[in-house]
Amino acid sequence: MRNQNPDVTVIGAGVSGLTTALCLAEAGLTVSVLAAEPPLATTSAVAGALWGPYLVGRDERVERWTQETLARFLGLAGDPAAGITLTSGIEATRTAPEGPPDWITTADGQPPRPATALPAGYAAGWRFSAPVIAMPVYLGYLLTRLERAGAQVKDGCRFRSLAEAAAQTSAPVIVNCSGAGAHHLVPDPAVTPVRGQAVTVTNPGIHEFFVGSGTDPDDLTYLFPHRDTVVLGGTNQPGDWNTRPDPATADRIVRNAVAVEPRLASARVLGHRAGLRPARPSVRLDAEDLPGGRRIVHNYGHGGAGITLSWGCALDAAGLVRTRETPPAAGPGPRGRR
């Protein structure tokens, strides 16, 4: 497939791929997006999604990327078509740390404050505000903007390697936003899946989010309201490539959510989701030049924070496309919690 000599071809149609393509297309470049799955079948569509650097590897750039994305989300929160709502809620833990996690930055400018009432089994919690994104709506919003900018998106494109992908486009620059697929496509063995599963139910009148965790990484319970629906989760299963929802896991998710919010007992189940968070020791955002003058820009390895980092990483990736200047290599930095 060739897209009338595009300037750039982006591999992947999750939130990272679409946002990067949008930055390039709205800057005036001719952009094609090639993806194995349509946007609503990607891991991005599975996400809850609460803004925050969850499961992000050590990288000094993460804070800047999260703040750049936060600014974009706050600017879009007034547009119903974007599906972004500034929401208050609670992050809770079954242990009792000395203070709130250092990743919590409230979007309303107020510091996190101790939660005065917690569900049974939780020892501490903090109340704060952050954007909650209805991902099917938001992905549709990005697609609409891409179409207006003249970009073309094609799914069903399955490649065994980046070389095979490069052979399908005449673009001088390819941007690799393949998520967990980078493990095989690059190949990059540092990329490993962390499986997540969620259940979507009707909203019985919930307006606040809740995230609860324990000492076991898979002890994760969350509920994110999105107008008429609530996304319930979840799981944190490293090394599991299974993308089929598991009925027993779904039952546990609903049961744990009801324990937190009893009104959910009457909620009707609307659907099940499962996806693979692309974990990596650090985000890969860099460029390499190929023989013949072509360039590949890599933008993957965002862990559970692809949405949270999306605009910051996309802007850096677009800069590599336009200027062909590689930013400073990633250095050690604080590991984000969400």
Side-chain angles (χ1 to χ4, degrees):
M1 176 266 187
R2 292 184 181 270
N3 182 34
Q4 298 181 347
N5 301 317
D7 298 314
V8 186
T9 291
V10 176
I11 306 298
V15 70
S16 295
L18 294 184
T19 309
T20 302
L22 184 59
C23 289
L24 294 165
E26 291 188 342
L29 297 179
T30 303
V31 179
S32 67
V33 178
L34 305 182
E37 304 291 346
L40 292 182
T42 63
T43 292
S44 297
V46 176
L50 175 70
W51 174 89
Y54 177 56
L55 289 179
V56 183
R58 294 185 177 276
D59 194 317
E60 61 189 7
R61 301 169 293 180
V62 165
E63 182 176 358
R64 173 173 61 83
W65 289 333
T66 59
Q67 292 302 315
E68 288 175 342
T69 304
L70 175 61
R72 294 280 182 151
F73 285 167
L74 293 178
L76 292 171
D79 184 351
I84 298 172
T85 307
L86 183 60
T87 307
S88 64
I90 292 174
E91 167 90 11
T93 176
R94 298 188 187 278
T95 60
E98 295 181 357
D102 57 10
W103 63 264
I104 293 182
T105 302
T106 56
D108 60 2
Q110 300 297 316
R113 52 197 183 278
T116 56
L118 293 171
Y122 291 95
W126 298 269
R127 178 173 291 280
F128 63 103
S129 296
V132 174
I133 303 93
M135 287 309 297
V137 177
Y138 183 61
L139 292 171
Y141 168 82
L142 294 177
L143 279 172
T144 298
R145 280 181 60 174
L146 275 170
E147 291 171 359
R148 290 174 181 168
Q152 296 186 15
V153 180
K154 180 177 176 61
D155 58 67
C157 305
R158 302 182 186 281
F159 311 114
R160 290 170 294 182
S161 66
L162 283 179
E164 184 177 324
Q168 301 301 310
T169 176
S170 60
V173 182
I174 297 168
V175 184
N176 172 25
C177 298
S178 55
H183 177 92
H184 304 287
L185 194 67
V186 175
D188 185 347
V191 178
T192 58
V194 178
R195 183 180 181 275
Q197 183 169 327
V199 181
T200 304
V201 302
T202 55
N203 191 342
I206 296 170
H207 302 289
E208 295 193 332
F209 64 81
F210 177 85
V211 181
S213 60
T215 55
D216 183 342
D218 200 38
D219 183 3
L220 176 65
T221 298
Y222 62 73
L223 54 98
F224 299 135
H226 298 295
R227 298 181 184 173
D228 296 333
T229 64
V230 185
V231 177
L232 312 179
T235 64
N236 186 341
Q237 299 168 320
D240 191 338
W241 287 94
N242 181 21
T243 58
R244 290 179 179 271
D246 173 63
T249 300
D251 289 343
R252 174 181 62 80
I253 287 172
V254 173
R255 185 169 59 251
N256 290 347
V258 170
V260 170
E261 175 49 77
R263 286 180 293 175
L264 288 167
S266 62
R268 179 166 54 91
V269 173
L270 299 175
H272 300 271
R273 312 176 186 177
L276 307 177
R277 307 176 183 99
R280 195 173 185 274
S282 64
V283 174
R284 185 175 185 187
L285 208 166
D286 58 27
E288 56 179 316
D289 293 320
L290 304 178
R294 302 179 84 186
R295 162 167 281 209
I296 292 182
V297 174
H298 297 285
N299 180 14
Y300 65 83
H302 305 103
I307 296 158
T308 299
L309 305 179
S310 57
W311 280 99
C313 288
L315 290 167
D316 274 13
L320 289 175
V321 171
R322 294 194 304 267
T323 66
R324 296 205 170 201
E325 294 178 358
T326 303
R335 181 179 178 84
R337 162 64 181 84
R338 175 166 297 283

